[in-house]
Amino acid sequence: MALTLRSSTSFINLKDNRSFKTPDDFSSIVGLAQIKPSCQLRSKNSTQEAQIARPERASLLSEGRKNERREKLHGLAAPQSHNNLRVPVFVMLPLDTISIGGSLNKPRAMLASLVALKSAGVEGVMVDAWWGLVEKDGPLKYNWEGYAELIKMVEKLGLKLQVVMSFHQCGGNVGDSCSIPLPPWVLEEISKNPDLVYTDRSGRRNPEYISLGCDSLPVLRGRTPIQEIQVGMGPCGELRYPSYPESNGTWRFPGIGEFQCYDKYMRASLAAAAKAIGKDDWGRGGPHDAGQYNQFPENTGFFERDGTWNGEYGQFFLKWYSEKLLDHGEKILTTAERIFQGTGAKLSGKVAGIHWHYKTRSHAAELTAGYYNTRHQDGYLPIARMFSKHGVVLNFTCMEMRDGEQPGEANCSPEGLVRQVKLATKTAGAELAGENALERYDGGAFSQVLATSRSESANGLSAFTYLRMNKRLFEADNWRNFVEFVRSMSEGGQNTRFPDSDRIGTDLYVGFIKQNNVRKTAALV
């Protein structure tokens, strides 16, 4: 989840290290920052001045109910005429913009880079506010100095700043170029109680993010994870389970991943859900035939074409697993909505673009991540409705990907997935923003984003955040492409001047960065 800072730095109190004695005191905390009502904030990807009027939103919801059957089959609404609006472009800053010590890395280079981005016409930049950096020294002991310096620099240039409250570990995921673990005191609590983190069937623990199974339990030295305001929503900051961890080679593209429901808190919830319907045997654990991280759907009994995913037990389990994730998102959004009320802030949250095995009946990779999306079930409409209910922007990735770039055996369809999410957000009346999943500098990728940003067939984008600022971006050809892309987005995505072909290859998919060193940036600005 993220915010966009308009102008003021007053929401950061560098010396406010007060001790709070009761859970109610945490109603004044948002992540690690204290927000003052006078601060002008915007959502990460919401830059339009006007919001959807309630009657219009109601009309969209009514339309969605009329077409529910078609939506469940992933059909698309008939093309409609929409006014093409300007799509502001933001740029992600390097993951290590703030050093381990809490200071701003390479401030001179940062200033020069921001000046260049401003001249290109970008709206602003995004930075991760890492839990592992800001509250590193102990509970309620905050260090915001590096971020305050960055905010002043951005403000002086007249840019906006997307602040992503990142309560997950940096390292072990696609594109992670540095390592920032959770705060040491949190890791200490995890060492005492390993069930605080997600666990797979074999007992493997994932310390990237605290398990949603203990959302309401005071496991962080008297605080619950929700009182801690985990606005990042999950692994990589996304609303999902860590079903495809790359660390130590556990998962590699295009594996189906594994269910993450084996910590004692998730087990207890599953057992209770099964008992409630008189099926105690179903509560003893996840599916026994769901395979392993790197298998394909057809090699498992659960995910194969006519597998148990679509049987009575499979439907029970997937409904429980996905509803636990939705409940987690609901708790976070409800808490954040209460905290930010009256500040002028509008929030955004990120949903993962899991496009591999999308063409299969079971959509296995999406299921293990918590998205109950199959040939017969729309898993994104409930998520979009939840975001819409709280007025939160749904930020979706893989906007630059084309189906033809993906390996055939992976049954990918990033284009189909994006179309489905656009339709879901339109039906729910939710605002949609986008990102690219991989570092791309070529005209083919930019052309695809331009096409995706339009609103003829479904929901258009309210903003786009480009991944990522580094030295490669400022190379002559790449920079020319980027500047032209920003200009085209400012014209409503209609001015497409890029070649249709992808000049840098066709095997562009999750995992490609790690397999090809040429796709990795050796040094960040």
Side-chain angles (χ1 to χ4, degrees), residues 437-453:
L438 304 176
E439 291 180 10
R440 297 282 296 272
Y441 310 93
D442 59 288
F446 289 133
S447 294
Q448 183 63 18
V449 174
L450 286 166
T452 301
S453 69

Side-chain angles (χ1 to χ4, degrees), residues 28-46:
S28 64
I29 303 177
V30 180
L32 304 174
Q34 185 171 351
I35 305 295
K36 295 186 178 180
S38 60
C39 179
Q40 296 182 5
L41 296 168
R42 293 275 176 171
S43 73
K44 172 180 178 179
N45 290 309
S46 175

Side-chain angles (χ1 to χ4, degrees), residues 202-234:
S202 63
R204 180 186 177 91
R205 310 284 189 178
N206 189 321
E208 183 180 354
Y209 187 80
I210 296 174
S211 169
L212 63 81
C214 54
D215 272 352
S216 302
L217 302 175
V219 294
L220 296 179
R221 301 193 181 180
R223 288 185 287 181
T224 71
I226 296 300
Q227 287 172 334
E228 194 62 59
I229 314 301
Q230 294 188 27
V231 293
M233 301 189 85

Side-chain angles (χ1 to χ4, degrees), residues 111-125:
L111 179 59
S113 299
L114 293 178
V115 169
L117 293 177
K118 175 69 174 179
S119 70
V122 303
E123 189 84 0
V125 293

Side-chain angles (χ1 to χ4, degrees), residues 463-500:
F464 180 80
T465 303
Y466 176 77
L467 182 156
R468 173 178 310 274
M469 188 184 85
N470 53 39
K471 286 185 176 179
R472 287 200 67 193
L473 175 61
F474 296 109
E475 292 174 3
D477 289 341
N478 296 341
W479 182 247
R480 279 193 293 270
N481 277 346
F482 177 75
V483 171
E484 185 61 40
F485 166 70
V486 174
R487 182 181 298 114
S488 296
M489 292 289 273
S490 71
E491 296 170 359
Q494 293 298 316
N495 188 13
T496 306
R497 304 170 185 168
F498 301 103
D500 291 334

Side-chain angles (χ1 to χ4, degrees), residues 278-399:
K279 298 283 189 179
D280 290 23
D281 288 350
W282 290 0
R284 296 177 180 174
H288 69 280
D289 56 351
Q292 299 176 342
Y293 285 104
N294 295 310
Q295 288 186 279
F296 277 53
E298 293 304 313
N299 300 130
T300 74
F302 190 80
F303 295 116
E304 63 183 350
R305 180 183 177 89
D306 296 312
T308 51
W309 62 271
N310 201 32
E312 188 180 2
Y313 164 73
Q315 292 175 21
F316 157 78
F317 174 79
L318 293 172
K319 184 174 184 290
W320 167 82
Y321 191 68
S322 62
E323 286 185 351
K324 287 292 291 184
L325 186 65
L326 283 170
D327 184 57
H328 175 65
E330 178 68 26
K331 290 175 182 175
I332 291 175
L333 296 185
T334 298
T335 303
E337 186 178 33
R338 184 179 70 247
I339 296 297
F340 283 103
Q341 188 174 11
T343 65
K346 187 178 178 185
L347 306 177
S348 72
K350 189 173 179 181
V351 175
I354 303 175
H355 57 83
W356 51 105
H357 304 300
Y358 183 83
K359 292 181 180 180
T360 65
R361 287 192 174 190
S362 66
H363 292 236
E366 292 164 86
L367 296 184
T368 57
Y371 305 151
Y372 192 1
N373 193 54
T374 69
R375 183 69 57 87
H376 315 297
Q377 176 84 21
D378 189 336
Y380 297 101
L381 187 55
I383 296 173
R385 283 176 171 156
M386 177 181 67
F387 276 67
S388 177
K389 172 184 173 183
H390 295 280
V392 174
V393 180
L394 194 157
N395 190 15
F396 199 70
T397 185
C398 73
M399 294 287 179

